[in-house]
Amino acid sequence: MSKTAPSLDALQEAPHAAWLFDVRRRRISWGNKAALSFWQEETLLDLIEHDFDPADPMVLLFESLARAGEEGARLHHVTLDLLDGPKRAALTCRLVHLDEDQPGVLAELAEKSAALTGRFSRFGEMVENAPLPLSLFTPSGALLYQNKEAERLMQARAAESGLAGLLGDAPLADALLEKAQRTGTASRLVQLSGMTPRLTCRLTLRKIQDPETDTPALVALWRDAGGRKTALSEAAGDAGELQALIGTVSDFTWRMSRQGGALRITELSDGFERVTGVPAASLFGLTLEEAAAQHGVTLTGELLEALAGGAPWRDIALVWPPSDAEDVTLLISAVPRRGRDGRLKGWTGIGRAGAAQQTGAAQASSSGIALFDTLDLPVLSLGADGHVTGANASARALFNLPLPGTPADRLFGPYEASAIRKEIAGKTASPPLPPRETGLSVTVPAGHTRAGGEKRFHLFIMAWPHEKETGRLLCFLLNAADTDLHKAEIMRRTLKDAERALKRKSDVTANIAHELRTPLNAILGFSEIMRDARFGPLGNEKYTGYVENIHKSGQHLLSLINDFLDLSKIEAGGFTPDFEQVELAPLLSECVDLMSQSAASQKVGLQLDKEEKLPPLVADRRSLRQILLNLISNAIKFTLEGGDVTLSAEADDAGNVTLRVADTGTGMDAEELAKALEPYGQGRSGQKRGGGTGLGLPLTRALCEANHAAFAIHSEPGQGTEVTITFPSTQVLAG
């Protein structure tokens, strides 16, 4: 309870009624002896079971106090619905906190206010200098008196026309006067007639009586509501913008609250049913474990750990299997809610459907699977929990499922799941069990394949030989119809040897790159000082030209080293994308602006052709920028004077976003194109401007895959080249 509230023991024998109201449950949870008599109930249990209508004035008042959250005692007049009829009462109310930080109100019945029994003759003396505008009207609406604040506000108009003229609406004035005399109070938001500017006020009329003459009158309180109304309008606008933003980046919202010692689902928006097919209301009151068991959902350790912690978390994958469709990967984010004592009382979050955004080692796994893209057999990368973290091109072409985040055993027939889980557990044991010589025979059901029809494979699961990523596995699928198991085992050993060699190459590459960049940075720094003549002129003008050439050559060499290092990191699985929301329009304009000078110097036209409104992407901003700059730079190099390079972007009806870089340059035939896509290979190097290492296209393709985007290139000799990058709808935020 609030420290300012009296104890319940102290109020138990008080002569005035006092009760404790549970706002969330709309029930009295405690009352003293006087409260039992006041509410005409025999026992405390009877009082606790007393039902209140949600529209009851007292309930509405207490809910309003709970939302405002103001501490301390406040006097409020409210109509109480008693057995013998409505009764107007003054309540001293204090906001308190019940168990589990639920809101409550401690109400005490106050004595009748002495201010209401004052004589009219003394009314002016009492309120003349009051800071609030106060007026006194007869029951018919004629003005008896107004204080200085009311006179200033009304500009002395009420004395001439009474309440009806002041409001400019006689029927409204009559209705307010009649209600105030009948019920004791009438309140309404009104506009004062003839004011410039037009003034909006909250008018409250209260009925009073002169005890000596028994003359009735009505006290009017005027409160300027114009500023408050504007503030409320702005707040509503801000809330609407925030809700629109939440709707843009998510498919549904959710809330969990601590009830009965457990976190339970208390709110879930209708978007959840649109994504999963499960009615949101069917999960209310359940713990996440109960909801998962009810619908066959596997909760990952990462999600359970996040719920048990106290820090915000983002895009944790939860695979939800609806009964009439394929599995849906939900990406869940949340922030904690805490009580006044700092303890966790629940979570508020959002969710969206899409491919899992992985972090840490899982991201590296997804990138490292690119090593096997050239193999014509499906290869999956698995985490220690058996969930797919990456897939090569053949696997993506085989499965008609959202692979990242999906349990590996769910890709195959239901009778093989147990064997696959056992095999995965054996590979992640310490020490791991020896490899199976025969592999597992598995079936991919017809509904899980893009081409239709079931597929039979020998399944080999092996530990990934990478000392920095313990617990990571590789899963190879060899066609059961035309692959003998002896050949498969030879291939498995060969792949392990290739991985070891690749790691050694990656370490050497990193060391060489570091050794090259250190002196190169010195060359760039000193040549820049000389070029800018920071310590005085060089003397001969030729030296200035030489220094400029040194600086440009150093920049070019540093760019090549960076590309070389980036590609090596991607090949070794060491590249970790930093996924975020990327607004496309400004990024595209920035890339075109950066390359416009290069295009102009080569006398090549550079245009940007994009839709007016492009949805934002979930991508790594730095690498996406590098992809676009690499492609535009390549296009300019291979385009002759007078040619054109175009960067375009569009979104299709399915929600995918496509970026294109097209040129009218020299183009390549199939053989040259294949060579250009290999690391360190180049197409028609003699027909381009500037040098290069042949890293541009391979690096761009690898960065596209790291961003979960599809890379395609089409080129014809003499007709130019077009590169297409397609981000699937799972990487596109709803507009």
Side-chain angles (χ1 to χ4, degrees):
M1 279 192 182
S2 168
K3 294 180 181 180
T4 61
S7 70
L8 301 186
D9 289 340
L11 292 172
Q12 183 63 41
E13 303 296 331
H16 61 278
W19 59 91
L20 186 61
F21 194 82
D22 186 332
V23 176
R24 184 67 57 86
R25 296 182 175 86
R26 297 195 184 101
R27 286 183 181 275
I28 293 175
S29 59
W30 173 88
N32 65 1
K33 293 181 179 179
L36 297 181
S37 174
F38 180 79
W39 288 102
Q40 299 178 352
E41 298 286 359
E42 294 185 5
T43 67
L44 180 59
L45 181 60
D46 295 328
L47 183 60
I48 291 173
E49 292 180 347
H50 190 108
D51 286 325
F52 291 87
D53 189 272
D56 186 284
M58 185 186 75
V59 173
L60 296 177
L61 170 65
F62 290 171
E63 288 177 344
S64 174
L65 296 177
R67 285 194 298 270
E70 294 182 2
E71 299 287 349
R74 298 285 190 276
L75 184 65
H76 296 275
H77 290 82
V78 65
T79 299
L80 302 178
D81 188 10
L82 303 176
L83 189 61
D84 54 0
K87 179 177 181 179
R88 190 72 177 169
L91 296 180
T92 300
C93 302
R94 292 179 176 86
L95 183 65
V96 299
H97 303 283
L98 308 179
D99 293 339
E100 299 179 358
D101 205 30
Q102 297 298 316
V105 173
L106 179 61
E108 297 179 68
L109 194 63
E111 296 293 331
K112 188 176 180 182
S113 174
L116 297 181
T117 63
R119 301 176 59 183
F120 294 163
S121 58
R122 298 187 57 200
F123 184 82
E125 297 177 27
M126 296 167 58
V127 302
E128 178 67 16
N129 296 307
L132 296 174
L134 292 165
S135 305
L136 193 65
F137 290 96
T138 67
S140 62
L143 180 68
L144 292 175
Y145 173 81
Q146 59 185 8
N147 69 355
K148 291 180 179 179
E149 280 297 310
E151 191 171 34
R152 181 190 60 79
L153 184 68
M154 313 301 174
Q155 302 171 10
R157 293 189 69 259
E160 305 169 6
S161 54
L163 184 62
L166 192 60
L167 302 184
D169 187 339
L172 174 61
D174 291 342
L176 289 170
L177 293 167
E178 189 276 331
K179 184 176 187 298
Q181 293 178 82
R182 174 170 45 86
T183 65
T185 301
S187 180
R188 174 70 182 268
L189 197 67
V190 298
Q191 288 188 326
L192 301 185
S193 175
M195 295 293 207
T196 305
R198 198 167 178 85
L199 186 63
T200 302
C201 288
R202 166 61 66 177
L203 167 62
T204 301
L205 290 172
R206 288 191 185 277
K207 180 182 178 181
I208 63 174
Q209 202 87 5
D210 188 325
E212 294 183 3
T213 64
D214 200 30
T215 304
L218 298 167
V219 177
L221 171 63
W222 308 87
R223 287 172 292 175
D224 182 4
R228 181 175 62 86
K229 192 173 182 181
T230 300
L232 289 174
S233 177
E234 291 176 353
D238 292 343
E241 291 174 5
L242 179 60
Q243 193 60 42
L245 177 61
I246 292 174
T248 298
V249 300
S250 66
D251 292 315
F252 59 90
T253 58
W254 60 275
R255 179 183 286 242
M256 294 182 73
S257 301
R258 194 170 296 283
Q259 295 180 351
L263 285 171
R264 300 185 181 276
I265 300 169
T266 53
E267 294 180 24
L268 194 58
S269 68
D270 293 339
F272 183 81
E273 182 173 359
R274 289 194 295 271
V275 173
T276 65
V278 177
S282 68
L283 302 182
F284 288 169
L286 301 180
T287 65
L288 190 58
E289 291 81 358
E290 291 168 345
Q294 192 175 97
H295 293 275
V297 176
T298 301
L299 301 179
T300 65
E302 184 182 14
L303 179 58
L304 293 174
E305 184 179 344
L307 285 169
W313 38 274
R314 171 182 167 189
D315 283 355
I316 293 181
L318 176 64
V319 180
W320 195 279
S323 58
D324 57 348
E326 64 184 32
D327 291 354
V328 176
T329 298
L330 305 179
L331 301 182
I332 310 297
S333 306
V335 294
R337 301 196 327 275
R338 299 188 180 279
R340 295 179 183 272
D341 58 359
R343 290 186 301 176
L344 181 71
K345 67 175 186 178
W347 295 91
T348 298
I350 61 174
R352 60 188 177 88
Q357 176 179 326
Q358 303 151 3
T359 57
Q363 286 179 331
S365 301
S366 184
S367 300
I369 201 71
L371 294 169
F372 308 103
D373 252 357
T374 56
L375 295 181
D376 60 356
L377 72 156
V379 183
L380 302 172
S381 173
L382 308 179
D385 59 358
H387 287 65
V388 177
T389 59
N392 72 344
S394 294
R396 295 194 300 270
L398 169 67
F399 288 102
N400 186 30
L401 293 173
L403 294 175
T406 300
D409 57 28
R410 195 162 288 166
L411 303 177
F412 308 105
Y415 303 107
E416 298 148 359
S418 176
I420 294 170
R421 283 196 293 269
K422 185 176 180 180
E423 187 75 4
I424 291 173
K427 292 297 183 296
T428 55
S430 181
L433 299 179
R436 293 172 60 94
E437 295 299 327
T438 58
L440 299 172
S441 293
V442 297
T443 301
V444 180
H448 288 187
T449 61
R450 292 187 183 275
E454 71 176 30
K455 302 285 186 181
R456 294 283 297 169
F457 293 97
H458 291 300
L459 182 70
F460 285 87
I461 299 175
M462 56 176 280
W464 179 265
H466 197 305
E467 61 189 28
K468 293 183 180 179
E469 295 179 20
T470 56
R472 180 178 164 195
L473 308 175
L474 283 179
C475 179
F476 298 92
L477 283 77
L478 288 89
N479 195 318
D482 56 12
T483 303
D484 63 82
L485 300 181
H486 177 65
K487 186 187 296 183
E489 182 61 19
I490 294 175
M491 179 215 66
R492 186 180 67 84
R493 291 181 184 141
T494 302
L495 287 171
K496 289 185 69 172
D497 292 340
E499 165 60 13
R500 293 192 188 98
L502 182 61
K503 184 183 180 301
R504 288 195 298 271
K505 171 192 164 188
S506 174
D507 292 341
V508 172
T509 298
N511 291 334
I512 292 175
H514 175 74
E515 294 299 326
L516 287 173
R517 290 170 72 174
T518 301
L520 184 55
N521 283 328
I523 293 171
L524 287 172
F526 286 121
S527 63
E528 187 174 329
I529 292 172
M530 296 168 68
R531 182 194 64 188
D532 298 341
R534 296 180 188 175
F535 300 106
L538 295 178
N540 194 311
E541 291 185 1
K542 288 187 177 181
Y543 293 151
T544 305
Y546 295 157
V547 171
E548 180 68 19
N549 290 337
I550 292 172
H551 193 268
K552 285 184 177 179
S553 298
Q555 285 182 317
H556 180 63
L557 181 56
L558 183 60
S559 175
L560 296 179
I561 290 173
N562 288 335
D563 285 353
F564 179 61
L565 189 59
D566 282 346
L567 184 60
S568 298
K569 286 173 65 179
I570 292 173
E571 287 180 335
F575 175 71
T576 304
D578 184 13
F579 286 107
E580 60 180 304
Q581 178 175 325
V582 178
E583 297 293 340
L584 268 181
L587 180 62
L588 298 177
S589 298
E590 177 191 354
C591 292
V592 170
D593 290 343
L594 287 172
M595 299 305 301
S596 58
Q597 186 174 353
S598 174
S601 66
Q602 306 295 341
K603 298 181 180 179
V604 172
L606 177 59
Q607 293 88 30
L608 174 60
D609 178 17
K610 63 179 180 64
E611 293 182 354
E612 184 176 349
K613 290 185 178 179
L614 287 169
L617 300 176
V618 175
D620 177 76
R621 184 188 301 275
R622 188 193 70 82
S623 60
L624 180 55
R625 181 176 180 271
Q626 186 176 357
I627 288 168
L628 295 173
L629 291 177
N630 282 355
L631 292 178
I632 296 173
S633 176
N634 263 2
I636 292 172
K637 287 178 182 178
F638 284 96
T639 301
L640 303 178
E641 291 184 7
D644 293 302
V645 175
T646 302
L647 171 63
S648 61
E650 61 181 1
D652 61 23
D653 294 339
N656 307 311
V657 169
T658 300
L659 308 177
R660 288 189 180 87
V661 177
D663 63 61
T664 59
T666 57
M668 295 174 281
D669 58 26
E671 182 179 348
E672 291 169 334
L673 183 57
K675 185 178 179 182
L677 289 172
E678 290 296 323
Y680 317 107
Q682 296 183 350
R684 296 184 175 183
S685 58
Q687 298 185 17
K688 71 175 180 179
R689 305 181 184 87
T693 59
L695 294 177
L697 282 179
L699 176 60
T700 299
R701 182 170 65 172
L703 289 174
C704 285
E705 180 183 308
N707 281 275
H708 306 311
F711 175 93
I713 183 169
H714 175 75
S715 186
E716 292 184 19
Q719 300 298 316
T721 302
E722 180 180 272
V723 179
T724 303
I725 304 163
T726 303
F727 283 86
S729 58
T730 53
Q731 297 295 114
V732 180
L733 298 176

